[in-house]
Every structure is written in C-alpha cells, then in structure tokens.
Amino acid sequence: ETGVTQTPRHLVMGMTNKKSLKCEQHLGHNAMYWYKQSAKKPLELMFVYNFKEQTENNSVPSRFSPECPNSSHLFLHLHTLQPEDSALYLCASRPGRAGGLSSYNEQFFGPGTRLTVL
Amino acid sequence: AQKITQTQPGMFVQEKEAVTLDCTYDTSDQSYGLFWYKQPSSGEMIFLIYQGSYDEQNATEGRYSLNFQKARKSANLVISASQLGDSAMYFCAMNSGYSTLTFGKGTMLLVSP
C-alpha cells in the first residue's frame, strides 16, 4: 500500500478554470516532487521541495504554481492551462534530502492525477 | 547531463518465461545510481531494484535482477518466470551526486498466458 496519496485521481477542466492537485505522504519524508507524464514522453520533473523549500523548478510555466505548506503536503495550483498540459501528474517523496547515491534515493510515488484540459 | 535510453517500446513474453528489458545510460559522472520502476495501468510508479555504480555484484530482488555492464553503460532488467501481473510499463532511471532522477521513455511489457 502506497504511503503517498493524490487527489483527485481524475480531473477535467476548462482553460479558464483554476484547480489544485493535492499530494500527501505519511512516510515522514522530507523531499517531495511533482512530475508530469505525457503520452510517449519520458517522465518530466517539474518541482522539487526539500524540507518545505523549493530547490528545483525545471523551467515550468507560471500557470503551474506549487505550494508546500509542510513536509507532508504538496499542492500544484493550476490556472489558465492549455490542452497540451493534459497529462498524468505524479507526486513522489523521498527520505531526507533530494538526491544522494544509495537505494535510499528511492522515490515513493503516488497514483497520480489524470488531468484533461478542454 | 544524464540520459537514459530504452530502445524497446514494447515487449511480449509468455507466462513463466524470462524477459530482458534494455536500458543504456550516458553520464560523465563516476558515481551514480540506476533504478528500475514498474508502472501498472493504475498509474502508480513502483520501485523494483537499485544498482550503485560502485557495486561489484549485480543487484537482485526476488524475480528481478539487474544486468549491470559498466563498460557498456547498460543496466538491463531481467524478470525471471514472468507472471500475468508483470504486464506494465517499465522505466529505467538514474541519478548522480545530488541530482534528481532522469527517466527513460519506458518499455511496455505484455505477458500472455
């Protein structure tokens, strides 16, 4: 059973809507990630948070706005999205600081939110 | 920069047979880690196995083993005795230093009865 949950699991929104994706982890991890997975593309890292501080923004458009109020919760606020933003959005967490070379660098993923932008 | 290449978009295997999923990588770092993840249709990414670049022995986890050939920069996943539940997308990934994971495009594995 995954310790990372994501809500909603499915979301359909118009280009003028504002919505938020939520990620919650109950594993005591300190690093959290947002990924975007589009069809036929590698997983794309969007944002990284270490101990609630954003440490990486992978050139993500400003219509995606992350928020990490505490080590257990991560949000992705969405506004004025485009149809090409339709994808599976995955959240992940990891013990300790992001990175480092060991099997403890294993990231635990949530089930994802399937987003469709009309 | 790191790069992961998975050249097999799809693979078919019969139940109980072994299958090898290919992964090659490119990095200029001497120290790095290699990962394999499984993604069933439900969407969740499930960690399978890890190999450190300085590990002398190939990693094994149950029916999964990683065929690590450092000189060839390959890290193939071997699944022995395939099961129907193994049908899924499989992703190879790597990181080095404090970089985050870089993923390949994935291989879809279908296991038939």
Side-chain angles (χ1 to χ4, degrees):
Chain A
E1 181 183 320
T2 180
V4 182
T5 58
Q6 289 187 244
T7 53
R9 292 294 308 277
H10 300 272
L11 179 62
V12 179
M13 60 187 288
M15 290 190 284
T16 58
N17 291 158
K18 288 185 180 181
K19 297 285 184 184
S20 295
L21 309 185
K22 179 182 177 182
C23 174
E24 188 171 357
Q25 56 95 1
H26 306 281
L27 301 168
H29 293 170
N30 292 308
M32 296 188 77
Y33 308 75
W34 278 118
Y35 288 90
K36 175 184 178 182
Q37 187 178 26
S38 305
K40 300 182 181 178
K41 280 188 176 182
L43 214 61
E44 299 172 62
L45 178 66
M46 300 176 74
F47 302 103
V48 181
Y49 278 81
N50 278 297
F51 298 93
K52 301 186 297 179
E53 298 296 322
Q54 187 182 128
T55 54
E56 194 161 338
N57 176 338
N58 205 20
S59 302
V60 181
S62 59
R63 57 186 184 271
F64 295 91
S65 174
E67 179 190 1
C68 188
N70 55 60
S71 296
S72 301
H73 294 86
L74 185 64
F75 295 89
L76 188 62
H77 303 301
L78 317 171
H79 63 98
T80 59
L81 295 192
Q82 305 297 313
E84 59 264 29
D85 296 323
S86 298
L88 179 69
Y89 288 85
L90 289 162
C91 173
S93 70
R94 178 191 176 273
R97 189 183 186 282
L101 295 176
S102 76
S103 60
Y104 296 108
N105 195 39
E106 169 196 348
Q107 292 178 19
F108 293 77
F109 283 81
T113 295
R114 177 73 62 186
L115 174 67
T116 303
V117 182
L118 302 176
Chain B
Q2 303 164 32
K3 185 179 179 182
I4 294 284
T5 302
Q6 294 180 255
T7 57
Q8 306 155 314
M11 289 286 286
F12 295 89
V13 66
Q14 275 201 314
E15 203 176 3
K16 300 180 184 177
E17 291 186 349
V19 63
T20 297
L21 305 183
D22 295 341
C23 172
T24 57
Y25 60 90
D26 191 21
T27 181
S28 56
D29 293 310
Q30 297 300 310
S31 186
Y32 48 88
L34 296 155
F35 300 76
W36 277 93
Y37 281 85
K38 171 185 177 182
Q39 187 180 38
S41 57
S42 59
E44 180 185 349
M45 298 279 277
I46 302 167
F47 167 74
L48 296 178
I49 196 166
Y50 167 84
Q51 178 85 43
S53 58
Y54 287 111
D55 294 341
E56 294 186 353
Q57 292 193 334
N58 287 343
T60 59
E61 288 286 347
R63 295 185 298 111
Y64 304 108
S65 61
L66 200 152
N67 185 0
F68 181 46
Q69 298 189 41
K70 195 170 182 177
R72 299 179 64 180
K73 292 190 175 179
S74 74
N76 298 340
L77 178 70
V78 180
I79 305 174
S80 63
S82 298
Q83 301 172 355
L84 296 178
D86 293 334
S87 293
M89 281 290 287
Y90 288 80
F91 292 92
C92 181
M94 75 173 298
N95 82 315
S96 61
Y98 281 98
S99 71
T100 49
L101 289 175
T102 299
F103 285 83
K105 289 187 176 183
T107 296
M108 172 64 79
L109 175 66
L110 290 176
V111 181
S112 60

